[in-house]
Amino acid sequence: STPSNSSAASDVYKRQFYGCASMESFAIPANVTEIGRYAFYGCKKFTRLDIPEKMDTIGRYAFAGIPDIKIYFNSAVLPAHLQEYWDYGIRGYYLGTGETHSNADWKYTVLNDGTAVLIEYIGTNTEVNVTTVDGYAVSAVGANVLKEDSTVQSLTLPESVKSICNYAFENTKNLRNISIPASVEMIGTYAFYKSGVEKVNFASDSK
């Protein structure tokens, strides 16, 4: 079941839905800017939660104890204030709404600002130099963008990229080199976990 949501609410309070094991979903109002600590802890039936573009703060363990959840941020960057362990227990989070487009090389989604988030590489090249995708500037790289059997050995990201999600290159055994531009503001947890990456090239003016 889905509880009714108040359009006047400005945040989801600490432990507000703690242990609501029977609750299946919750639509966060667009004007909500903060999710408190343990807010959705133990909502085991959740499979998806969409985070509004105006979100500023997420508290620690906000989504813990939800094994199958996917978190979608409708923004190219994560909220400015993320408490330690905010993403504890999350297998993957995504930037974008999840509505997928594709061409010969990429599956991707488009954000409200008209930029693209790379979701999955479906091409066959070993060296990939990303510029734009179907005319959209690429602002983010999603979770598990390269699958374990990906042929990609070298990847160069464009200057428009701001975020690389957690587990982005997990288990990509063939990937050896990646070039990351100075525009990147965030690299997620375990982005290179168990990958074959031997060299990460950061732009000379990276912060």
Side-chain angles (χ1 to χ4, degrees):
S1 60
T2 304
S4 59
N5 308 309
S6 171
S7 60
S10 61
D11 57 17
V12 177
Y13 300 111
K14 179 175 70 175
R15 298 177 182 265
Q16 186 163 356
F17 300 108
Y18 185 99
C20 291
S22 62
M23 190 168 73
E24 298 176 0
S25 63
F26 181 77
I28 300 176
N31 59 324
V32 167
T33 59
E34 180 175 352
I35 296 175
R37 289 178 292 170
Y38 299 95
F40 296 101
Y41 187 103
C43 296
K44 296 180 179 180
K45 290 188 177 181
F46 273 31
T47 57
R48 174 176 178 145
L49 192 64
D50 292 271
I51 307 299
E53 196 167 1
K54 293 182 179 179
M55 187 64 62
D56 177 76
T57 303
I58 299 179
R60 62 176 61 196
Y61 301 110
F63 315 110
I66 315 176
D68 298 320
I69 195 170
K70 292 183 178 179
I71 307 292
Y72 288 89
F73 292 91
N74 195 15
S75 171
V77 294
L78 292 175
H81 301 99
L82 297 172
Q83 295 182 7
E84 187 178 17
Y85 305 123
W86 75 271
D87 59 348
Y88 183 87
I90 301 175
R91 182 58 185 164
Y93 58 81
Y94 304 82
L95 302 174
T97 61
E99 181 180 351
T100 304
H101 307 273
S102 64
N103 59 23
D105 293 319
W106 293 101
K107 290 183 180 179
Y108 64 95
T109 188
V110 179
L111 299 176
N112 288 338
D113 64 3
T115 63
V117 178
L118 300 179
I119 299 300
E120 181 184 353
Y121 182 69
I122 54 177
T124 58
N125 295 324
T126 57
E127 296 186 4
V128 177
N129 184 3
V130 183
T131 53
T132 60
V133 56
D134 291 341
Y136 295 105
V138 176
S139 58
V141 177
N144 300 116
V145 70
L146 298 181
K147 301 306 179 186
E148 291 185 38
D149 59 352
S150 172
T151 59
V152 178
Q153 298 177 13
S154 175
L155 177 65
T156 301
L157 299 175
E159 287 290 342
S160 55
V161 171
K162 297 180 181 179
S163 303
I164 297 173
C165 285
N166 60 347
Y167 295 99
F169 307 108
E170 180 191 20
N171 287 324
T172 52
K173 304 300 184 184
N174 293 321
L175 184 64
R176 294 290 182 266
N177 300 293
I178 182 169
S179 296
I180 298 176
S183 57
V184 170
E185 301 171 358
M186 187 281 300
I187 298 178
T189 306
Y190 296 111
F192 303 101
Y193 184 66
K194 291 187 177 180
S195 73
V197 172
E198 298 171 346
K199 185 176 182 181
V200 178
N201 303 300
F202 289 96
S204 58
D205 52 344
S206 296
K207 296 180 180 180

